[in-house]
């Protein structure tokens, strides 16, 4: 979508759309599952949200960028923190969420469940 830098509304919502892993489209290209955002009575942009599984991959990639290294290289305490963050974001409600997170962290599913149970017991 062109003209984002020239439109203050588009520039304002772009970081949120990017953080969710969404895509911005002209409103006339909106599909039935897209969200059309209006401003001052006019449709301005359609936002195509990713599938939940794609969102989890996007969140994991963002966490890797923020940490500056592959998540599998983090120490145990940092991995536990990642699991807490992901649980707060609903990552484990996604089908195969535990498996996806375990793979990204370089640990077993059992370890992820232990991290989750540790939080609930604390």
């Amino acid at each position: 979508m062109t003209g984002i830098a020239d439109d203050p509304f588009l520039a304002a919502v772009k970081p949120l759309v990017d953080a969710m892993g969404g895509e911005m489209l002209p409103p006339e290209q909106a599909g039935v599952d897209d969200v059309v955002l209006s401003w001052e009575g006019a449709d301005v942009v359609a936002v195509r949200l990713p599938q939940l599984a794609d969102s989890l991959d996007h969140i994991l990639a963002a966490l890797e960028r923020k940490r500056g290294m592959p998540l599998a290289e983090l120490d145990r305490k940092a991995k536990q923190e990642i699991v807490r963050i992901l649980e707060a974001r609903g990552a484990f409600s996604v089908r195969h969420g535990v498996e996806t997170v375990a793979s990204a962290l370089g640990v077993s599913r059992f370890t992820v469940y232990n991290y989750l149970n540790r939080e609930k017991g604390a």
Side-chain angles (χ1 to χ4, degrees):
M1 187 163 184
T2 59
I4 291 174
D6 299 331
D7 186 309
F9 181 79
L10 295 177
V13 299
K14 186 174 183 336
L16 178 61
V17 173
D18 289 346
M20 294 183 312
E23 178 183 1
M24 295 171 62
L25 307 164
E28 61 273 7
Q29 292 182 12
V32 67
D33 293 328
D34 296 334
V35 178
V36 177
L37 302 178
S38 299
W39 183 253
E40 297 180 348
D43 292 343
V44 179
V45 65
V47 178
R48 182 159 296 153
L49 300 172
Q51 299 297 316
L52 286 176
D54 295 337
S55 292
L56 180 52
D57 290 337
H58 187 79
I59 291 168
L60 289 167
L63 288 169
E64 249 183 21
R65 282 191 304 276
K66 186 175 183 179
R67 299 285 176 143
M69 67 174 62
L71 297 178
E73 293 179 11
L74 298 173
D75 63 24
R76 183 176 47 87
K77 185 176 179 181
K79 288 178 182 182
Q80 290 171 337
E81 176 64 23
I82 294 293
V83 168
R84 281 192 293 275
I85 290 167
L86 292 170
E87 183 178 27
R89 292 186 174 187
F92 302 109
S93 64
V94 175
R95 184 177 175 161
H96 302 298
V98 171
E99 292 86 347
T100 301
V101 171
S103 177
L105 293 176
V107 299
S108 68
R109 288 182 9 217
F110 181 77
T111 299
V112 172
Y113 284 119
N114 280 340
Y115 292 168
L116 289 167
N117 289 334
R118 170 172 286 173
E119 271 308 295
K120 291 176 180 149

